[in-house]
Amino acid sequence: MSHALRVDWPSCHARGLCHELLPEVVDLDEWGYPLVTGEVTEALLADARAAVRACPRLALRLVEAPPR
Ligand code: SF4
């Protein structure tokens, strides 16, 4: 089962911590808001969970990605 990150935009304060912790999956737009650009592979799952736990606004969620 693969996973994906979701951002709760109204809660996010655009400080970019998630990008620092998970640059393989999260990019930042010109205002510093996270753009999920990559897939959470099995190899990145532990780092993705850590990014979710570290988000100071509880604005990140890890969900199961639908099958392709
Ligand atoms: S760590 Fe949380 S609050 Fe900070 S940019 Fe990422 S989603 Fe937004």
Side-chain angles (χ1 to χ4, degrees):
M1 177 66 71
S2 61
H3 293 75
L5 278 179
R6 297 282 183 267
V7 180
D8 175 10
W9 301 105
S11 297
C12 174
H13 273 197
R15 297 288 163 86
L17 178 60
C18 49
H19 170 64
E20 290 178 28
L21 294 174
L22 204 59
E24 304 91 337
V25 176
V26 180
D27 209 344
L28 297 179
D29 71 10
E30 59 188 297
W31 297 281
Y33 281 91
L35 296 171
V36 178
T37 56
E39 188 180 338
V40 179
T41 62
E42 284 299 311
L44 292 172
L45 194 50
D47 288 346
R49 287 190 171 121
V52 168
R53 282 195 303 270
C55 174
R57 302 290 303 170
L58 304 178
L60 273 184
R61 212 159 43 94
L62 192 61
V63 299
E64 291 182 354
R68 294 184 183 192

